Amino acid sequence: MSTRQRIDVHHHPSPPTYINARDNSNRFATPQIQWTVQKTLDDMERGGVATSILSLPHPPSIWPADLNIGRRLAREWNEYMAGMARDYPGRFGVFAAVPVFDIDGALRETAYAMDTLKADGICLVTSYKGKYLGDKMFDPVWDELNRRKAVIFAHPQTPIGDHSERDRILEMPFDTARAVFDLVLSRHFKRYPNIRWVFAHGGGGLPFLWQRIQDSESKRSDVIDPAGLKATIKDVHFDVVGAANKIDFQLIRQLWGIDRLTFGTDWSFVEAKVTANNVDALGLSAADAYAVNRGNAEKLFPRF
């Protein structure tokens, strides 16, 4: 796919106040510190990306104890991303940031982001200081997002939080697996059937634990749909960044089906052309390539 056509569901800008709120001692934040809008547009061009859905992978440490400051930061970040979408029509969508420890603030920001800024969905991370997404603390947020039939992009988090190479390579993919399993155990997918999810990196460690999870919970009809685990986690999609190789892709395609796989880049940490070239090298049929590169995302975001 050489023309500008792809929709990138995993794309990180770096508003100035977001960088200031992060721990700049984290050496993996360097690409964010050096980020500019023009660099984003140039990278999209090289990777054949027509539209990027912007998200800020906000770790728990980023939210201050002062709730008013947290609300202000979320508003500033969402206004910034919405401004990019206005300035470059059709090139950007927005997964809004919400101060999730502040439930009232999260509900207010969800309403503002989706009703006023016309955000395309909400970005969350897989865990917050040991609390996974199935925790009852978040139920009021799920009630509202279910009512809105919202799309949620769930970005992996490092539960250890020491910014080590081990954390980045191993812990983040496994936190995705923990988060999905937690949602299964909490019966989230049955309780909130209208929410649509996008998880990163092909599901992280989840595909390799799939059979173990299904076997261990198969007798619990309150948790696992009799039709199996795939039927249980309805309306869950996975981007293919980091998984667009012949070994991993074969597994995730077999588990999720081609209709649940979407294109992602993880920019500004990974160049768009990396995932683009990897997807092109898979030898997919024209129909399957279109589905992964664009078609499946169009179903999630019809305005594109």
Side-chain angles (χ1 to χ4, degrees):
M1 182 174 292
S2 57
T3 59
R4 183 202 292 169
Q5 191 174 11
R6 296 179 170 94
I7 295 177
D8 176 7
V9 302
H10 186 165
H11 191 107
H12 306 311
S14 297
T17 55
Y18 179 73
I19 292 299
N20 291 339
R22 294 207 60 150
D23 177 6
N24 288 343
S25 65
N26 179 0
R27 63 188 177 91
F28 297 118
T30 300
Q32 294 180 295
I33 295 170
Q34 298 173 344
W35 175 87
T36 66
V37 175
Q38 189 58 52
K39 285 182 179 180
T40 271
L41 292 168
D42 292 345
D43 186 75
M44 290 168 63
E45 200 69 30
R46 289 190 293 269
V49 175
T51 302
S52 293
I53 315 297
L54 305 172
S55 60
L56 298 173
H58 39 74
S61 60
I62 207 168
W63 297 115
D66 188 315
L67 298 185
N68 289 324
I69 296 177
R71 294 179 184 186
R72 175 177 58 80
L73 287 174
R75 180 62 54 87
E76 288 177 355
W77 302 339
N78 293 333
E79 293 277 13
Y80 188 99
M81 292 188 289
M84 288 177 62
R86 286 193 303 270
D87 292 345
Y88 302 93
R91 301 307 307 275
F92 297 112
V94 175
F95 284 125
V98 295
V100 75
F101 284 120
D102 170 14
I103 297 299
D104 186 54
L107 292 172
R108 292 184 184 185
E109 192 58 27
T110 293
Y112 179 78
M114 301 193 78
D115 295 338
T116 301
L117 300 182
K118 306 303 179 183
D120 299 280
I122 300 295
C123 176
L124 299 173
V125 295
T126 47
S127 63
Y128 294 89
K129 296 182 180 177
K131 290 184 180 295
Y132 282 87
L133 298 173
D135 193 284
K136 289 187 177 297
M137 169 186 175
F138 304 124
D139 280 359
V141 176
W142 303 142
D143 289 336
E144 177 62 10
L145 294 179
N146 188 68
R147 183 185 72 80
R148 291 177 174 273
K149 300 181 179 179
V151 180
I152 300 174
F153 177 65
H155 194 277
Q157 167 62 14
T158 54
I160 298 173
D162 63 5
H163 307 310
S164 69
E165 190 77 4
R166 176 201 59 205
D167 243 10
R168 187 176 67 90
I169 294 175
L170 296 180
E171 291 298 334
M172 292 184 78
F174 278 102
D175 215 52
T176 295
R178 294 183 187 102
V180 176
F181 190 33
D182 185 68
L183 292 173
V184 170
L185 291 178
S186 66
R187 301 178 64 253
H188 173 96
F189 299 109
K190 292 186 177 183
R191 295 162 59 208
Y192 305 107
N194 297 325
I195 294 175
R196 292 161 294 164
W197 288 87
V198 180
F199 283 91
H201 311 126
L206 183 64
F208 311 99
L209 299 171
W210 179 268
Q211 195 62 49
R212 181 180 178 86
I213 294 172
Q214 180 158 290
D215 290 347
S216 67
E217 303 300 327
S218 61
K219 295 180 180 179
R220 296 182 56 185
S221 59
D222 63 318
V223 173
I224 298 289
D225 189 293
L229 194 53
K230 181 178 178 179
T232 299
I233 56 172
K234 297 176 180 178
D235 283 322
V236 178
H237 299 74
F238 304 88
D239 76 44
V240 300
V241 60
N245 61 77
K246 295 198 174 187
I247 296 174
D248 293 343
F249 191 85
Q250 181 179 3
L251 176 57
I252 63 176
R253 178 177 183 168
Q254 180 180 351
L255 291 176
W256 316 135
I258 200 74
D259 60 328
R260 293 199 187 188
L261 304 180
T262 60
F263 184 85
T265 67
D266 209 354
W267 171 263
S268 55
F269 297 98
V270 182
E271 294 181 2
K273 65 181 180 181
V274 172
T275 308
N277 291 341
N278 289 344
V279 171
D280 288 346
L282 290 171
L284 301 176
S285 69
D288 287 349
Y290 185 84
V292 172
N293 282 305
R294 184 177 183 90
N296 295 334
E298 285 181 321
K299 295 173 186 176
L300 289 170
F301 312 105
R303 75 182 185 96
F304 295 118

